[in-house]
Amino acid sequence: MRAARLHRYDPDLAGPEFLQFDEVDEPAITEPDDVIVRVGGSGVCRTDLHIIQGVWDDGLQTDLPYTLGHENAGWVEEAGAAARSVAPGDAVVVLPGLADGTCDVCRRGLDNRCPALVWQGIQVDGGFTGFLRTKSRNLVPIPEELSPAEAAPYADAGITAYHAAKIAVRDVVPGETVAVIGIGGLGHVAIQVLKALTPARIVAIDRSKEALALAGRFGADHAVLAETDSVAEVLDLTGGAGCAAVIDFVGEGEVPAQAFSMAGAGGRYVVVGYGGTLEIPALDIMGTERQIVGAIGGTYSDLRELLALAADGRVELLTVEYPFEEVNRALGDLAAGRLRGRGVLVHT
């Protein structure tokens, strides 16, 4: 079968051939809980660009070449003897983090924190190919309202936004405000999730007027153009109180410091984007009881809950479809900022 594989790092994303097509062996069942999924759709993620740039630390880098693709959905092709929760032909989304399923955090439903977690498409071969071997516990049924191509990006972009939004609104009450910074492939999902989970006011912040218009379409109550003094504007919108929560999907440049400054007393700054740094006097945290919380990926339960919202029409993840053979064009569009929403490779 054909696979789109990374053979060399490209720190400047010069391209245009980021990945190379190779012929590889089809995966086979080796353990009783293994499942082979015929891939129908694979999301293209900014994480893929970071992998191509070689920015990961030694803990996440792996030997080249290998197959990218961590947002995958398709149909069960074959199931091991212990994989009794699925059957051939079932339409499924693949949770990308392979957890051991037996440790304490996994048994508490926090599989995204499993110390043995291995990410398919990041640390081991992923779904930019025809067939993917995974575990039965990583498969979530696709509601009949969605196709595999539509459902694939929910495996990472969707649950990352959902997981962050759930963290953000744990203590939020009516009359309070939640800010979302970065209305891209994740931010536009977070706006919708917040509308489903909380009665709080939602402020969308982005450098793009088009992105802010999209946020308004999906329910944001206020839009703030990041070119302005966005901190002052958000504080003004909240009557000086600041936000109960700020979700940062950017995490670079001045944004982390701005995001923390937008949070009010007791507010929660949820960090999803990365690449930058944050330096804060300890007194500014202690004296206001503001919290800084990280959010990575999501859990199996998060994915099931999010797909239920999508099936009910309460969450829509915008996608742009590309034939699998045009993976490098999709990556190039993402790198150049031409992609609005989530790129999805459609396998035929």
Side-chain angles (χ1 to χ4, degrees), residues 189-260:
V189 177
I191 294 287
Q192 299 172 76
V193 172
L194 289 169
K195 293 298 290 186
L197 298 183
T198 176
R201 292 185 299 267
I202 301 169
V203 177
I205 304 166
D206 200 282
R207 294 179 299 177
S208 164
K209 293 181 180 179
E210 180 184 1
L212 293 177
L214 181 67
R217 168 187 159 189
F218 284 127
D221 300 293
H222 301 283
V224 173
L225 192 63
E227 293 177 354
T228 65
D229 187 347
S230 50
V231 174
E233 191 166 345
V234 169
L235 292 177
D236 183 61
L237 285 170
T238 59
C243 297
V246 181
I247 308 175
D248 176 10
F249 290 109
V250 178
E252 296 180 336
E254 298 179 354
V255 173
Q258 293 173 338
F260 182 78

Side-chain angles (χ1 to χ4, degrees), residues 41 57 59 65 89 115 138 150 162 170 172 181 185 204-205 224 244 247 276 298 312:
D57 60 24
N138 283 66
E150 292 170 323
Y162 183 78
R170 282 175 185 161
V172 174
I181 304 176
I205 304 166
V224 173
I247 308 175
D312 288 343

Side-chain angles (χ1 to χ4, degrees), residues 1-24:
M1 65 180 182
R2 296 184 79 205
R5 309 179 84 203
L6 179 66
H7 281 255
R8 64 176 181 84
Y9 295 118
D10 183 355
D12 299 322
L13 295 176
E17 299 300 312
F18 303 100
L19 305 180
Q20 176 180 316
F21 285 101
D22 297 331
E23 286 294 326
V24 299

Side-chain angles (χ1 to χ4, degrees), residues 88-161:
D90 288 352
V92 291
V93 181
V94 183
L95 188 71
L98 293 171
D100 60 29
T102 59
C103 69
D104 181 60
V105 291
C106 282
R107 291 183 186 278
R108 289 158 53 201
L110 303 172
D111 43 281
N112 65 318
R113 300 184 194 171
C114 176
L117 196 68
V118 175
W119 296 93
Q120 293 190 280
I122 297 177
Q123 294 166 280
V124 296
D125 287 337
F128 286 178
T129 187
F131 295 92
L132 176 68
R133 181 174 61 222
T134 188
K135 296 294 184 181
S136 58
R137 62 178 173 270
N138 283 66
L139 301 180
V140 178
I142 299 177
E144 61 182 15
E145 293 85 354
L146 301 175
S147 69
E150 292 170 323
Y154 286 98
D156 181 37
I159 61 169
T160 298

Side-chain angles (χ1 to χ4, degrees), residues 289-310:
E289 293 195 344
R290 282 178 284 184
Q291 305 167 41
I292 303 172
V293 185
I296 181 168
T299 68
Y300 183 90
S301 296
D302 289 334
L303 185 52
R304 287 191 68 99
E305 293 165 15
L306 178 60
L307 288 172
L309 287 176

